[in-house]
Amino acid sequence: MTETTLQCPVSKKCGGCQLSNMTYKEQLSFKQAKVIRLLGKLHRVGEIVPSPRPMHYRNKVQAAFGRTRGGEIISGVYQSSTHHIVKTDACSIEDELADAIIVFIRQLVKSFGLTVYDERIGRGFLRHVLIKRAFATGEVMVVLVTGTQVFPSKNAFCARLREQFPQITTILLNVNDRYTSLVLGERETVLYGPGYITDVLCGLRFRISSKSFYQINRDCAELMFTQALESVGLTGREIVIDAYSGVGTIGLIAAGKAKRVISVELNRDAVKDARVNAKLNGITNVDFYCADASDFLAEMAAENETADLVIMDPPRAGSTVRFMKSVVKLAPEKVLYISCNPETLARDLTFFTKNGYKIRMIRPYDMFPFTEHVESVILISRAGS
Ligand code: SAH
């Protein structure tokens, strides 16, 4: 399949796969060239690591529900930058089981005589379906996002769904009755199972709830984290700062090979999840702080603290000069920069190279096949060492 381009009937309307007209090989060359163009002046760029599975890699899938003008119930993706639903039954980058569950739910809605949500009048039952699948453990979460808490025949509905898909390990009802483009609302009840799924990544267990962040392409993330930490070569004696740490993934994976990890993340829910993840794995040498990474590092630097390694995985906008100035003051031997945007990365790396650090490795990863996005891992260390 990867020898060909995507034959997706809705690719123009959906807009999710910007590189759908390229074969997989062409996509890799395209992304390699992009990273070379942006970072090649700074250091040699290693060969892009392909995604272990180039298709159906997305472990989180969501579909909007609505009706056509003729009254037919449909589900699918929003046409880019609109709230018009494009009917889709299958997608080349989404998990196939998730897509099959969504199509089946559409049939169930009809056979149970349920309604779908109408955004214009703010009424109706099913609004979205969100599915998360833990590829390593096989666990599957189904979240029914509805306009109302009232769910007639919910037990029969869930029983029928589980009978058809025994892989489903938990079902949730999430009520979202607001006029919003966010998928999930505040109120959530568990209809079946524990209310979360658990996946295994780099030998550790991670709990995934409906709202918590988790790497979309699990297999590629596992490969990337393993190789990135190998390139650092931890000995067990290091103090590590894991900044922009999300649900704690990289820091927790590094914890087994470090003395102590200090994890800092702005999102309160993510920090909560990270603490649960540490407990789940019996890890006690990671401290989690909920703070702005730049404020936190500036404070550490002001208190003359030190660190051996700073891991940073900022959002698309990249880091801040204040953060990087503090890193320079903390003077870690190494910095591991994981980036999802080579443009802001180029800017940040230039700062490090002008302030006593040298780039040792640049390696792109194809974390999001068929899209224009490219992830990169960069190892930096103190110049002269
Ligand atoms: N390393 C994580 C994911 C990082 S995504 C993982 O692998 O799971 C980037 C993270 O940066 C998000 O969790 C986001 O909430 C956080 N973030 C954004 N701005 C921040 C800031 N100013 N300070 C700290 N964290 C921030």
Side-chain angles (χ1 to χ4, degrees), residues 64-75 85 87-89 106 109-110 116-117:
F65 278 69
R67 272 181 198 278
T68 62
R69 278 206 190 106
E72 187 206 352
I73 292 177
I74 56 165
S75 64
I85 299 170
K87 182 177 184 254
T88 42
D89 287 352
R106 208 167 65 211
V109 166
K110 286 179 204 162
V116 289
Y117 194 74

Coordinates of all heavy atoms in Angstrom, one line a residue, residues 64-75 85 87-89 106 109-110 116-117:
A64 N -17.5 13.2 14.1 CA -18.7 14.0 14.4 C -19.9 13.4 13.8 O -19.8 12.8 12.8 CB -18.5 15.4 13.8
F65 N -21.0 13.5 14.5 CA -22.3 12.9 14.1 C -23.3 14.1 13.7 O -23.3 15.1 14.3 CB -22.9 12.0 15.1 CG -22.3 10.7 15.1 CD1 -21.0 10.5 15.6 CD2 -23.1 9.6 14.7 CE1 -20.4 9.2 15.6 CE2 -22.5 8.3 14.7 CZ -21.2 8.1 15.1
G66 N -24.0 13.8 12.6 CA -25.0 14.8 12.2 C -26.0 14.2 11.2 O -26.0 12.9 11.0
R67 N -26.7 15.0 10.5 CA -27.7 14.6 9.5 C -27.4 15.3 8.2 O -27.0 16.5 8.2 CB -29.1 14.9 9.9 CG -29.7 13.8 10.8 CD -31.2 14.3 11.1 NE -31.7 13.5 12.2 CZ -32.2 12.3 12.1 NH1 -32.3 11.7 10.9 NH2 -32.6 11.6 13.2
T68 N -27.7 14.7 7.1 CA -27.7 15.4 5.8 C -29.0 16.1 5.7 O -29.9 15.9 6.5 CB -27.6 14.4 4.6 OG1 -28.8 13.6 4.7 CG2 -26.3 13.5 4.7
R69 N -29.0 17.0 4.6 CA -30.3 17.7 4.4 C -31.5 16.8 4.3 O -32.6 17.1 4.7 CB -30.2 18.6 3.2 CG -29.5 19.9 3.6 CD -29.8 21.0 2.6 NE -28.9 22.1 3.0 CZ -27.9 22.5 2.2 NH1 -27.7 21.9 1.0 NH2 -27.1 23.4 2.6
G70 N -31.2 15.6 3.7 CA -32.2 14.6 3.4 C -32.6 13.9 4.7 O -33.5 13.0 4.7
G71 N -31.9 14.1 5.8 CA -32.2 13.5 7.1 C -31.4 12.2 7.4 O -31.6 11.6 8.5
E72 N -30.5 11.8 6.5 CA -29.7 10.6 6.8 C -28.7 10.9 7.9 O -28.0 11.9 7.9 CB -29.0 10.2 5.5 CG -28.3 8.9 5.6 CD -27.1 8.7 4.6 OE1 -27.0 9.6 3.8 OE2 -26.4 7.8 4.8
I73 N -28.6 10.0 8.8 CA -27.6 10.1 9.9 C -26.2 9.8 9.3 O -26.0 8.8 8.7 CB -27.9 9.2 11.1 CG1 -29.2 9.7 11.8 CG2 -26.7 9.2 12.1 CD1 -29.6 8.8 12.9
I74 N -25.3 10.7 9.5 CA -23.9 10.5 9.0 C -22.9 10.7 10.1 O -23.2 11.4 11.1 CB -23.6 11.4 7.8 CG1 -23.7 12.9 8.2 CG2 -24.3 11.1 6.6 CD1 -23.1 13.9 7.2
S75 N -21.7 10.2 9.9 CA -20.6 10.5 10.8 C -19.3 10.7 10.0 O -19.2 10.2 8.9 CB -20.4 9.3 11.8 OG -20.0 8.2 11.1
I85 N -20.0 18.4 8.2 CA -19.4 17.0 8.3 C -19.3 16.4 7.0 O -20.2 16.3 6.2 CB -20.4 16.2 9.2 CG1 -20.5 16.8 10.6 CG2 -19.9 14.7 9.3 CD1 -21.5 16.2 11.5
K87 N -18.9 12.9 5.3 CA -19.2 11.5 5.6 C -18.0 10.6 5.3 O -17.5 10.6 4.2 CB -20.4 11.0 4.9 CG -20.8 9.6 5.2 CD -22.1 9.2 4.5 CE -22.5 7.8 4.9 NZ -22.3 6.8 4.0
T88 N -17.5 9.9 6.3 CA -16.4 9.0 6.1 C -16.6 7.7 6.9 O -17.1 7.7 8.0 CB -15.0 9.6 6.6 OG1 -15.2 10.2 7.8 CG2 -14.4 10.5 5.6
D89 N -16.3 6.6 6.2 CA -16.4 5.3 6.9 C -15.0 4.7 7.3 O -14.9 3.9 8.1 CB -17.1 4.3 6.0 CG -18.6 4.6 5.9 OD1 -19.1 5.5 6.6 OD2 -19.3 4.0 5.1
R106 N -23.0 4.2 14.3 CA -24.0 4.9 13.5 C -25.2 4.0 13.2 O -26.4 4.5 13.3 CB -23.3 5.2 12.2 CG -23.9 6.4 11.5 CD -23.0 6.9 10.4 NE -22.9 6.0 9.3 CZ -21.8 5.8 8.6 NH1 -20.7 6.5 8.8 NH2 -21.8 4.9 7.6
V109 N -27.3 3.8 16.5 CA -28.1 5.0 16.7 C -29.4 4.9 16.0 O -30.5 5.2 16.6 CB -27.3 6.2 16.3 CG1 -28.2 7.5 16.2 CG2 -26.2 6.5 17.3
K110 N -29.3 4.4 14.8 CA -30.6 4.3 14.0 C -31.5 3.2 14.6 O -32.7 3.4 14.8 CB -30.2 3.9 12.5 CG -29.7 5.0 11.7 CD -29.3 4.6 10.3 CE -28.3 5.5 9.7 NZ -27.6 5.0 8.6
V116 N -29.3 12.5 16.7 CA -28.0 13.0 16.6 C -28.1 14.5 16.9 O -29.1 15.1 16.8 CB -27.2 12.8 15.3 CG1 -26.9 11.3 15.1 CG2 -28.1 13.3 14.1
Y117 N -27.0 15.1 17.4 CA -27.0 16.5 17.8 C -27.0 17.5 16.6 O -26.4 17.3 15.6 CB -25.7 16.7 18.6 CG -25.6 18.0 19.4 CD1 -26.4 18.1 20.6 CD2 -24.9 19.1 19.0 CE1 -26.3 19.3 21.3 CE2 -24.8 20.2 19.8 CZ -25.6 20.3 20.9 OH -25.5 21.5 21.7

